[in-house]
Structure formats: structure tokens, C-alpha cells
Amino acid sequence: MPRTRFQKQTSEAPAPEAVEQKDSQVRLRETASQVTPLPPASPDAEILARAQAGDHHAFAHLYSLHKRRIYSLCLRMVGNVAEAEDLTQEAFLQLHRKIATFRGDSAFSTWLHRLSINVVLMHLRKKGLPLMSLDEAMEPSYDDGPGRSFGAPDLSLTGSIDRLALERAVAALPAGYRLIFVLHDVEGFEHNEIAAMLDCSVGNSKSQLHKARLKLRDALRLSLRKGDRR
């Protein structure tokens, strides 16, 4: 029996399941086009993740990236090359033991500096050197003078200053003041980062830096007077 036009159209119409599958594919493509792709992980983050998983090559790479700054910090704090080298090694030994505990609550460099600072401060305590408290009151003392802003650039410490005189003045600072000065004015950390490293407030960090700069200014003035007398 020949098929009617109606029967031919009916037999060639797509099955409901095929129509539904095609619509689903269209919706999936549209949805995918609207999704913002996740940014790829940075190489540093990948290296850190591998080091946390026990990859010794990745840890060696972290060491090569950060050893100079950690050594510089140790050297400026203790003023002795051999001690600074030992403290740098100890800091990275501590890092090797504790790297799995890093959770990304702060930048890795900030966390590493905090760990290294603890190593240095422990060393200074063992040597019996006095450490200025980071919790002292923020009110300026009589020597601070009026109208100065905590944490602002000190113009008296800029310009042409004899480098050796400045290094001697920094080395003569109490350890607490020296630490804040090195972290902020030498290493370039912000006060909020320093506060996180040292478990102190941002205000205390600014206060310590302010007082460190005042002591440096007085020490440099004294050094200049002595130079003029020669």
C-alpha cells in the first residue's frame, strides 16, 4: 500500500528522545560559553604545592628564590657573616619541617620571614642581648618631639649619608628597633605585613619604626660631628 503524505512526514519526524538530547547539548554549550575560566595556578604556587607534598627539587627551588633575602635579614640582625649563614640554614631547616603547615593565610614570603625572625630572635635571646618589647606604649616620649607622623618617611635619613656610618648606626640599634627598621625601610614590607610577622599591632610597628629612625638620626648627627672634629 503506498504511503500517504501524512504518513511520510510522520515517519521522518525525529524521535522525542533525539530532540531532547539535542536541546540539552545546546543548553550545555550556552552554559559553558558563559562560565569564566579559572586562572591557571602561578608557577610559584605550583612549586610551593609540590614542596609541601615532599618534592625535594621544588624545595630547593624555593630555597634559591628566598635565600638572599633571608640571609640579608639575618646578617643585618646579627652583624656577623658566619652567624648569619648558620641562622639562614636554620631558618630553612625550620621551613623544611613546617612547610606543610602553611595554609596561605598570608603571602608565603611573609610567613617565611616570620619563621626566620623567630629563629633570629631565639638566637639573640640565647646570647643574652636585650630586646625592646614590641608591645610598649605608642605615645611618643619627650625625645620624639611634636608633630611627627609614625611611619612617614624621615627626610633626615635620606640624601647623601655615609653608608658605613649608617650601617654602624643600624647595627647599634636595640634588636627590636633594628628589626622593624630592616623589615620596613630595607626589605620593603608594609606595616600590616610586619604586624603579622611579629604578632603586634600596625600602630606598634609604626611606633617602633618612628623611634628607630629618631635613634638613627641622632646617631648619624653624632657621627657627623665627630667627623667634623677630625
Side-chain angles (χ1 to χ4, degrees), residues 154-194:
D154 190 342
L155 298 180
S156 64
L157 296 182
T158 61
S160 56
I161 297 175
D162 182 79
R163 183 170 180 176
L164 290 177
L166 178 59
E167 289 181 353
R168 286 195 294 266
V170 172
L173 287 172
Y177 290 159
R178 186 163 73 250
L179 178 58
I180 298 290
F181 179 83
V182 168
L183 289 174
H184 187 277
D185 283 8
V186 179
E187 296 292 326
F189 287 101
E190 299 294 337
H191 283 293
N192 61 321
E193 295 175 305
I194 296 172

Side-chain angles (χ1 to χ4, degrees), residues 5-17:
R5 184 180 299 175
F6 175 79
Q7 288 173 325
K8 184 177 181 181
Q9 291 175 350
T10 303
S11 62
E12 292 179 355
E17 293 82 358

